[in-house]
């Protein structure tokens, strides 16, 4: 298993319309796109910084995990995502070594990625995503 970089940092926001101008206009990050990921009940804006990205997450339903996160913690950093070369292999290795996975099989993320979350109990309280790009 090999992590290749920090792919992105996920930030929970109440509203993309309110949060986006800071990143796009004040910090001058390039907006890669906005996409609804229905499976995860979020609207996602991806902004580029060099090889990494900032992922802004807005809930699209009241039962969205992001809506629950916002209720508990308010807006802020939600998760860290590391890029892996082979997500199935990474999940298998982590499970074999005793890590708890939220996703035991990869699910679809934004922009054609495949993702899996490691349980915060196995990652010192930091919600950690593994992410494999489609290309
Ligand atoms: Zn993410």
């Amino acid at each position: 298993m090999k992590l290749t970089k920090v792919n992105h940092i996920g930030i929970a926001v109440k509203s993309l319309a309110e949060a986006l101008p800071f990143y796009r206009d004040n910090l001058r990050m390039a907006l890669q796109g906005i996409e609804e990921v229905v499976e995860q009940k979020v609207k996602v804006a991806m902004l580029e910084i060099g090889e990494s990205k900032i992922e802004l997450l807005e809930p699209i339903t009241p039962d969205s995990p992001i809506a629950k996160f916002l209720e508990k913690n308010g807006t802020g950093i939600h998760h860290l995502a590391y890029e892996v070369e082979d997500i199935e292999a990474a999940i298998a290795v982590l499970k074999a070594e005793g890590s708890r996975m939220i996703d035991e099989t990869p699910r679809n993320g934004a922009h054609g990625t495949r993702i899996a979350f490691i349980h915060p109990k196995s990652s010192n309280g930091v919600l950690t995503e593994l992410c494999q790009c489609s290309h």
Side-chain angles (χ1 to χ4, degrees):
M1 156 167 122
K2 191 182 173 205
L3 305 183
T4 53
K5 66 180 182 191
V6 174
N7 181 280
H8 64 267
I9 298 168
I11 298 176
V13 302
K14 287 181 186 136
S15 150
L16 286 183
E18 275 174 32
L20 197 52
F22 169 69
Y23 295 92
R24 185 192 53 203
D25 304 332
N26 298 104
L27 295 183
R28 293 167 171 76
M29 293 180 190
L31 177 62
Q32 213 179 38
I34 297 179
E35 188 184 327
E36 273 194 15
V37 184
V38 177
E39 202 177 318
Q40 289 179 61
K41 300 170 180 167
V42 286
K43 195 153 94 177
V44 180
M46 278 289 191
L47 297 122
E48 287 175 320
I49 347 156
E51 288 206 325
S52 300
K53 282 164 276 193
I54 293 292
E55 177 183 68
L56 303 179
L57 301 152
E58 177 194 302
I60 53 174
T61 61
D63 66 334
S64 162
I66 295 300
K68 287 177 187 149
F69 177 90
L70 287 169
E71 260 168 46
K72 244 179 150 181
N73 308 289
T75 54
I77 293 180
H78 179 258
H79 65 271
L80 287 181
Y82 302 110
E83 193 163 312
V84 292
E85 285 172 345
D86 181 340
I87 194 162
E88 271 93 1
I91 292 170
V93 167
L94 287 167
K95 275 175 60 183
E97 292 171 353
S99 290
R100 262 177 79 185
M101 299 297 300
I102 292 175
D103 302 299
E104 303 217 329
T105 52
R107 55 175 148 144
N108 297 322
H111 303 286
T113 56
R114 294 164 70 232
I115 65 171
F117 282 97
I118 301 170
H119 197 283
K121 285 223 163 94
S122 289
S123 51
N124 303 291
V126 178
L127 183 58
T128 300
E129 174 187 333
L130 304 174
C131 155
Q132 183 183 342
C133 290
S134 48
H135 51 79

